[in-house]
């Protein structure tokens, strides 16, 4: 071992290759049986030259001569040493997978691995490396859940190849706050849209994993999510994201002057002391636009009350749960930072693999946080 350590990267690769070749030759002798270089009754076949093979190893990229055999029955000869060699590169491949998850491009990953003596790194090698994570990530996605009092749902879109064309794929995700007072990432799913069938399937999967006790759900308004939420979590109070409500209101404003002030007007409602005051302020706002902007007034009267459900919660909890921004800032922006270099994912499996790995990191960080996200001792509304 000491002699091996003294070698430089190139010499180490040469030693590694020679050791491989010697081990494979010994295996071929044992496979063929006694007298394999002579024509004897005990011979099971004969040596039939070599074939070159390039292997990426921890010692660098090595070229080895793999022994071949012929003239025998049964399974063809394949050296177990080569299989062990393949297992020995697992650490290298996992390192590549980790770089992929961190958002490192294939070109940058190739440059890093070249420092370790690996001559080249193809996109297919990166994909194979990433697949080493699949079992672990699938186990995380299917882990048992428990009591979750507050649930926040959101989705973002990524480009993905499907059926030979590039499609927009919805990444559905959920976070919850449970008895430990910490945020946790509960699950993730990749679908071709935010249709009810996809949201419903996702929510049902959470329930099947043990999700229970949900009292309050925060999300943006979407017809598919609205219908799925009612079907699966019909007993929970729904809070429509106030941020998205205000943004939608701006789009319904008839002119620039109203667009400039409607956001501030709604904010004064969101920050009211209690529900009666918020409802009174909303009624006054709607009345003020009855003549000048009747369509906006009608839209506010119908939609804005969906942003007031948060007033049913303890005052100390409202700031955390009046919008879905905890998902936007902590989850969606991090997903975007990691996926931006990929641009178009080759498949839904590749997309799900990367977003799951990112969410696992976020979940582990939240689980180790020493500060409570929601304190249950503040129960008085």
């Amino acid at each position: 071992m000491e002699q091996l350590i003294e070698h430089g990267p190139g010499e180490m690769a040469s030693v590694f290759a020679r050791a491989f070749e010697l081990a494979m030759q010994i295996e071929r002798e044992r496979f063929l049986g006694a007298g394999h270089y002579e024509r004897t009754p005990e011979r099971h076949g004969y040596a039939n030259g070599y074939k070159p093979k390039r292997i990426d190893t921890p010692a660098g990229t090595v070229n080895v001569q793999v022994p071949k055999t012929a003239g025998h029955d049964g399974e063809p000869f394949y050296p177990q040493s080569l299989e062990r060699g393949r297992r020995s590169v697992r650490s290298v491949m996992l390192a590549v997978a980790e770089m992929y998850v961190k958002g490192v491009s294939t070109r940058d990953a190739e440059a890093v691995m070249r420092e370790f003596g690996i001559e080249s790194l193809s996109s297919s090698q990166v994909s194979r490396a990433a697949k080493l994570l699949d079992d672990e990530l699938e186990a995380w996605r299917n882990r048992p859940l428990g009591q979750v009092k507050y649930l926040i749902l959101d989705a973002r879109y990524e480009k993905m190849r499907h059926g030979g064309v590039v499609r927009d794929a919805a990444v559905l995700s959920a976070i919850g706050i449970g008895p430990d007072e910490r945020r946790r990432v509960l699950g993730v799913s990749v679908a071709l849209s935010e249709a009810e069938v996809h949201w419903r399937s996702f929510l049902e999967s959470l329930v099947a994993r043990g999700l229970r006790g949900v009292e309050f759900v925060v999300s943006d308004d979407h017809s598919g999510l609205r219908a799925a939420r009612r079907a699966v979590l019909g007993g929970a109070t729904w809070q429509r994201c106030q941020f998205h409500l205000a943004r939608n209101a701006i789009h319904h404003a008839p002119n620039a002057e109203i667009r400039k002030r409607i956001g501030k007007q709604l904010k004064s409602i969101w920050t009211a002391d209690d529900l009666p005051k918020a409802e009174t302020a909303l009624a006054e706002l709607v009345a003020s636009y009855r003549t000048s902007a009747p369509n906006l007034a009608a839209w506010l009267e119908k939609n804005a009350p969906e942003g007031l459900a948060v007033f049913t919660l303890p005052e100390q909890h409202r700031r955390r749960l009046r919008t879905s921004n905890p998902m936007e800032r902590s989850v969606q922006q991090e997903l975007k930072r990691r996926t931006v270099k990929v641009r178009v994912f080759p498949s839904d499996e590749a997309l799900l693999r990367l977003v799951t790995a990112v969410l696992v990191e976020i979940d582990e960080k939240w689980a180790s946080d020493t500060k409570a996200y929601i304190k249950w001792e503040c129960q008085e509304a």
Side-chain angles (χ1 to χ4, degrees):
M1 178 60 71
E2 289 80 3
Q3 294 177 345
L4 188 60
I5 293 175
E6 290 177 358
H7 291 288
E11 293 177 287
M12 285 185 64
S14 177
V15 172
F16 204 86
R18 183 55 181 159
F20 255 139
E21 291 174 346
L22 289 173
M24 289 187 290
Q25 288 181 28
I26 293 172
E27 285 187 66
R28 181 172 66 176
E29 293 176 11
R30 292 174 177 172
F31 178 82
L32 294 174
H36 60 279
Y37 289 114
E38 302 174 2
R39 295 184 177 275
T40 67
E42 292 81 10
R43 188 186 65 185
H44 301 305
Y46 55 89
N48 189 33
Y50 300 85
K51 61 180 178 181
K53 185 175 182 64
R54 194 173 75 168
I55 307 173
D56 291 332
T57 77
T61 300
V62 299
N63 294 290
V64 298
Q65 297 295 319
V66 180
K68 298 171 58 181
T69 62
H72 55 79
D73 299 327
E75 292 290 329
F77 169 70
Y78 190 84
Q80 294 181 2
S81 297
L82 193 55
E83 289 292 348
R84 286 196 294 272
R86 286 180 175 179
R87 290 195 295 272
S88 74
V89 306
R90 181 177 175 85
S91 60
V92 174
M93 300 303 281
L94 284 173
V96 175
E98 181 68 12
M99 285 189 284
Y100 171 75
V101 168
K102 295 293 186 183
V104 178
S105 67
T106 300
R107 178 178 298 178
D108 292 340
E110 185 174 11
V112 172
M113 298 314 293
R114 193 176 294 118
E115 295 294 323
F116 290 94
I118 307 299
E119 295 175 0
S120 64
L121 190 68
S122 67
S123 58
S124 61
Q125 285 176 303
V126 173
S127 296
R128 286 197 300 272
K131 286 181 180 179
L132 293 173
L133 299 171
D134 282 350
D135 290 344
E136 178 184 346
L137 299 180
E138 183 178 2
W140 180 85
R141 286 194 300 269
N142 295 320
R143 74 197 190 282
L145 301 176
Q147 182 180 1
V148 172
K149 191 171 182 178
Y150 297 156
L151 180 67
I152 304 176
L153 303 171
D154 202 6
R156 64 171 286 104
Y157 281 85
E158 298 287 351
K159 297 292 184 181
M160 176 189 78
R161 291 193 180 277
H162 180 79
V165 298
V166 176
R167 298 278 301 273
D168 286 324
V171 179
L172 316 179
S173 51
I175 68 175
I177 300 96
D180 64 352
E181 302 182 337
R182 306 297 191 271
R183 285 177 295 176
R184 299 304 301 269
V185 182
L186 303 180
V188 63
S189 177
V190 171
L192 289 176
S193 71
E194 286 188 78
E196 177 188 356
V197 62
H198 296 142
W199 269 115
R200 185 165 182 167
S201 176
F202 177 52
L203 294 179
E204 287 176 341
S205 72
L206 299 179
V207 173
R209 289 166 50 204
L211 177 70
R212 67 182 188 276
V214 177
E215 299 178 6
F216 197 83
V217 178
V218 185
S219 75
D220 187 17
D221 182 48
H222 187 282
S223 58
L225 175 54
R226 180 189 289 259
R229 174 185 52 78
R230 286 175 173 171
V232 183
L233 302 170
T237 300
W238 176 55
Q239 165 67 29
R240 183 170 174 179
C241 174
Q242 292 178 352
F243 173 79
H244 289 97
L245 256 174
R247 190 168 63 180
N248 292 341
I250 292 173
H251 293 158
H252 282 83
N255 55 57
E257 182 181 351
I258 295 178
R259 283 195 292 270
K260 288 180 180 179
R261 66 171 183 259
I262 188 64
K264 292 182 179 179
Q265 291 173 322
L266 283 172
K267 185 176 181 181
S268 67
I269 297 173
W270 307 147
T271 57
D273 293 336
D274 53 38
L275 181 57
K277 290 181 180 179
E279 291 175 332
T280 299
L282 176 59
E284 293 173 352
L285 179 63
V286 170
S288 69
Y289 286 118
R290 288 290 186 194
T291 302
S292 61
N295 290 337
L296 173 60
W299 185 89
L300 288 171
E301 189 172 32
K302 178 182 178 181
N303 293 275
E306 295 175 340
L308 304 181
V310 72
F311 284 98
T312 63
L313 297 181
E315 183 178 357
Q316 294 84 349
H317 297 184
R318 294 174 194 169
R319 182 174 62 88
R320 299 288 197 186
L321 296 162
R322 65 183 190 87
T323 73
S324 58
N325 282 353
M327 285 281 282
E328 179 65 30
R329 294 169 183 164
S330 302
V331 175
Q332 308 297 23
Q333 289 184 13
E334 183 63 15
L335 288 177
K336 180 180 180 180
R337 187 178 73 83
R338 302 290 187 91
T339 61
V340 66
K341 290 186 178 181
V342 180
R343 295 187 178 88
V344 178
F345 285 84
S347 65
D348 56 348
E349 292 89 353
L351 174 56
L352 183 60
R353 180 182 304 125
L354 180 55
V355 297
T356 302
V358 175
L359 293 178
V360 168
E361 289 185 2
I362 296 172
D363 185 56
E364 290 176 346
K365 178 182 178 181
W366 287 350
S368 61
D369 197 346
T370 58
K371 185 178 180 181
Y373 188 74
I374 291 287
K375 286 188 175 294
W376 297 124
E377 62 189 31
C378 304
Q379 293 294 322
E380 294 299 326

